[in-house]
Structures are given as structure tokens and as C-alpha cells.
């Protein structure tokens, strides 16, 4: 006589299979495991999204500072350099204004406004434009941006006087 394997005994007619109670217990256990996994994954996913937003703001802040420094180098005149604002007269006699408003750094030129840096998750907290004074034939501006997440970036912009 041939012996049957455990799998054959389960699948062949006459075997009783699983009871409803056993199936419900398995579903409950899987549900608990799924809930625990979802809580861990939910926190990790939220951290990923927050980190992405903060990193985007940091990149925007760096790009904005680079653009301001480049504009200062090519500006005809610095009209206003005060906390929260930088206004330049360009070579083509137009004006370009950088200013802080509503936790965001804005660029205003020719009647249009563009967002340069800052968002709801990581707004720009301070924008400092400090005139460090002329050094012989150069004017020096120190530009600093700081976000709520304590990210701070600064640069110096030089312009021939």
C-alpha cells in the first residue's frame, strides 16, 4: 500500500480542510500585521515627502542667491539693499526687484512677478541684503536667505563701481 503525503491528504476527498474559525483567525492575524506595517510605512513615507520639500527649497534658495549675485555683477546701479529687499537698475534701464513676502522670495520685473524660493512646508524666514561698503573699485553686497527649517545660505556679490 502506498503512503500519501500531507498535501495529498489535505486535497483528497474525505479530508475536512479548514474550519471557519481557523480562516477568521488567519484573517485577523494578517490584518494586525498589515496595520502595524502600514503605521511604520506611513511614517517613513511622510518623512520622505517632507525631506523632498525641504531639499527642493534648499535648491531654490541656492539658485535664487546665484541669480541675485549674477544680477548684481551686471547691474548698472543698486537702488535699494535693505533687509527683505534688493532692487537693481539693469543695463537696459529696467529695474529688477527681489523681495520677501508671505514666506517666499519673489522676483518682480517689468510688471510681472515670479516665485523664486519658499513653500508651505519650508518658507523663507529672512532675506538680508547688507551693503558691506565699497572696496576701492568694487561694491560688495552680502546676500543671506534663511528658511524655517534652519537652512541658511549666503553669498557675496561684487559690482564694479
Amino acid at each position: 500500500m502506498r503512503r500519501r503525503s500531507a498535501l495529498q491528504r489535505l486535497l483528497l476527498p474525505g479530508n475536512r480542510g479548514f474550519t471557519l474559525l481557523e480562516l477568521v483567525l488567519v484573517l485577523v492575524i494578517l490584518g494586525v500585521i498589515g496595520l502595524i506595517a502600514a503605521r511604520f510605512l506611513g511614517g517613513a513615507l511622510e518623512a520622505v515627502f517632507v525631506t523632498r520639500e525641504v531639499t527642493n527649497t534648499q535648491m531654490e534658495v541656492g539658485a535664487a542667491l546665484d541669480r541675485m549675485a549674477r544680477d548684481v555683477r551686471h547691474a548698472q546701479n543698486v537702488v535699494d539693499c535693505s533687509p527683505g529687499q534688493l532692487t537693481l537698475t539693469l543695463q537696459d534701464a529696467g529695474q529688477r526687484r527681489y523681495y520677501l513676502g508671505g514666506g517666499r522670495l519673489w522676483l518682480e520685473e517689468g510688471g510681472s512677478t515670479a516665485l523664486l524660493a519658499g513653500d508651505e512646508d519650508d518658507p523663507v524666514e529672512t532675506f538680508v541684503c547688507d551693503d558691506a561698503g565699497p572696496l576701492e573699485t568694487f561694491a560688495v553686497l552680502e546676500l543671506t536667505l534663511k528658511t524655517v527649517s534652519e537652512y541658511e545660505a549666503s553669498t557675496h556679490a561684487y559690482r564694479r563701481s
Side-chain angles (χ1 to χ4, degrees), residues 29-42:
I29 292 170
L30 287 176
V32 169
I33 291 171
L35 183 64
I36 292 170
R39 293 193 79 181
F40 283 117
L41 289 176

Side-chain angles (χ1 to χ4, degrees), residues 21-77:
L21 180 62
E22 291 170 330
L23 290 174
V24 169
L25 279 174
V26 168
L27 288 175
V28 168
I29 292 170
L30 287 176
V32 169
I33 291 171
L35 183 64
I36 292 170
R39 293 193 79 181
F40 283 117
L41 289 176
L45 284 175
E46 184 177 338
V48 166
F49 289 124
V50 169
T51 302
R52 181 182 297 161
E53 290 299 323
V54 169
T55 303
N56 285 343
T57 301
Q58 291 173 355
M59 290 187 322
E60 290 169 353
V61 163
L65 283 174
D66 289 344
R67 181 173 184 162
M68 284 188 275
R70 185 179 61 241
D71 285 350
V72 166
R73 279 194 307 270
H74 295 101
Q76 188 175 18
N77 188 22

